[in-house]
């Protein structure tokens, strides 16, 4: 009988890690020729898993957090159909966004489940860090953009995975007193600093600074006001998007961020994207193939998540997406615990990286896991007390 229970637990762990793998597949599998077909199979399994999740998600039909996502998905579908967009890409987009949200709603039910997420992302970040040490020039090389590729892709696209790993490690280190979590936090942080993603470095610096505050207060509750985060976010936005027009701020963009004054051509793309949003402000252009995006904004994406969402889903879709974010933040605000503060600061850090990158459906798993942490924050606090 004991052996049956033990085998059942092992089977559940294997299923848990397989599901986590499907939700956050290491991007190198798509680029590396021997595993490219395997990557396609994994994505097919993800779609099948998504159908099962959607079937179970009916239990959460009264959850405003989930409904905000449903409305976001529906508005994007309408926009895609009206503008004769890429329906297949839309399907992948749905699987990698809505599915993660609903899955985490009924998956995070106890401390054991939370631990599986922590272990998976810790291993992922450690392997990416080791790949950067062993292959400084990259396991592969992107000839088009002239960037090295490691386990989690280029340094820019590894940022969501690494920030998610650092955040969960910090959660386990500070609130659940798991000392081994320091390894996951350090490897994730160092891996970001070793890369070239400027906003990734700014984002992880925010988390490190928060960690220093926690150390100063010796683990006492440190509340980060939403107003302070908004001011910080606008300051970073000013540096990235506005200061490039004034030569007095050259030292910030060229010196600290190590970018040219157009942010590697991003500002030119942003101007075109804003024009497109104004031309179709309500529903946008829908999910379009890369070739069509290059016609619309001069690149395969807008290099800014918010502008990219505005172009694809219009102001209506972007509003629904931001609504789910605000719902999560509101629920965090009612919890007097560092758990809420850690989740809040981690989502804020990811929002910073979205100023210069528009991560597509392949890289959204980590973000939606953190957002679902926000929605389930009261339950996570209870795990600590058990």
């Amino acid at each position: 009988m004991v052996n049956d229970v033990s085998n059942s637990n092992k089977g559940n762990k294997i299923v848990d890690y397989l599901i986590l793998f499907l939700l956050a597949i290491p991007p190198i599998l798509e680029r590396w020729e021997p595993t490219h077909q395997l990557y396609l199979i994994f994505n097919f399994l993800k779609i099948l898993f998504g159908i099962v999740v959607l079937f179970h998600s009916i239990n959460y039909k009264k959850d405003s957090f989930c409904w905000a996502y449903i409305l976001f998905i529906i508005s994007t579908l309408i926009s895609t159909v009206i503008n004769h967009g890429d329906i297949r890409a839309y399907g992948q987009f749905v699987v990698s966004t809505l599915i993660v949200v609903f899955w985490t709603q009924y998956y995070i039910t106890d401390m054991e489940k939370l631990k599986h997420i922590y272990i998976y992302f810790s291993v992922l970040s450690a392997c990416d860090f080791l790949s950067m040490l062993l292959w400084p020039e990259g396991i592969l090389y992107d000839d088009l953009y002239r960037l090295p590729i490691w386990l989690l892709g280029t340094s820019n696209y590894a940022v969501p995975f690494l920030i998610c790993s650092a955040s969960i490690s910090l959660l386990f280190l500070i609130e659940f007193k798991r000392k081994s979590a320091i390894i996951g936090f350090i490897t994730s942080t160092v891996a970001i600093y070793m890369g070239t993603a400027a906003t990734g470095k700014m984002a992880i610096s925010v988390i490190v600074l928060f960690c220093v505050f926690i150390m100063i207060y010796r683990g006492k509750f440190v509340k980060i006001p939403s107003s302070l985060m908004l001011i910080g976010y606008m300051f970073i936005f000013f540096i990235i998007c506005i200061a490039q027009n004034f030569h007095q701020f050259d030292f910030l963009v060229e010196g600290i961020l190590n970018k040219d004054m157009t942010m590697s051509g991003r500002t030119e793309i942003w101007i075109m994207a804003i024009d497109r949003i104004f031309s179709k402000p309500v529903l946008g252009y829908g999910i379009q193939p890369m070739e069509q995006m290059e016609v619309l904004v001069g690149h395969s994406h807008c290099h800014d998540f918010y502008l990219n969402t505005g172009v694809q889903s219009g102001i209506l879709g972007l509003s629904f997406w931001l609504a789910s974010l605000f719902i999560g933040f509101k629920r965090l605000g009612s919890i007097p615990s560092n758990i809420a503060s850690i989740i809040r600061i981690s989502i804020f850090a990811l929002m910073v990286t979205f100023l210069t990158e528009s991560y597509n459906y392949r890289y959204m798993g980590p973000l939606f896991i953190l957002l679902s942490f926000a929605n389930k924050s009261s339950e996570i606090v209870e795990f600590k007390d058990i």
Side-chain angles (χ1 to χ4, degrees), residues 237-250 252-254 260-263 267-268 270-271 274:
F237 178 80
F238 173 80
I239 293 175
I240 295 173
C241 303
I242 301 174
Q244 56 96 21
N245 292 312
F246 301 93
H247 293 295
Q248 294 88 338
F249 297 99
D250 287 4
L252 287 173
V253 179
E254 296 181 341
D260 61 72
M261 295 306 291
T262 66
M263 293 295 293
T267 53
E268 298 168 2
W270 295 341
I271 291 171
I274 291 171

Side-chain angles (χ1 to χ4, degrees), residues 292-331:
Q292 184 61 24
M293 285 298 291
E294 288 177 358
V295 173
L296 291 173
V297 298
H299 195 67
S300 58
H301 56 83
C302 297
H303 263 299
D304 181 297
F305 177 82
Y306 312 103
L307 290 178
N308 206 72
T309 303
V311 170
Q312 293 181 336
S313 305
I315 295 174
L316 183 64
L318 180 60
S319 299
F320 288 137
W321 191 90
L322 291 175
S324 64
L325 180 67
F326 291 138
I327 290 169
F329 264 68
K330 183 179 179 181
R331 291 176 180 176

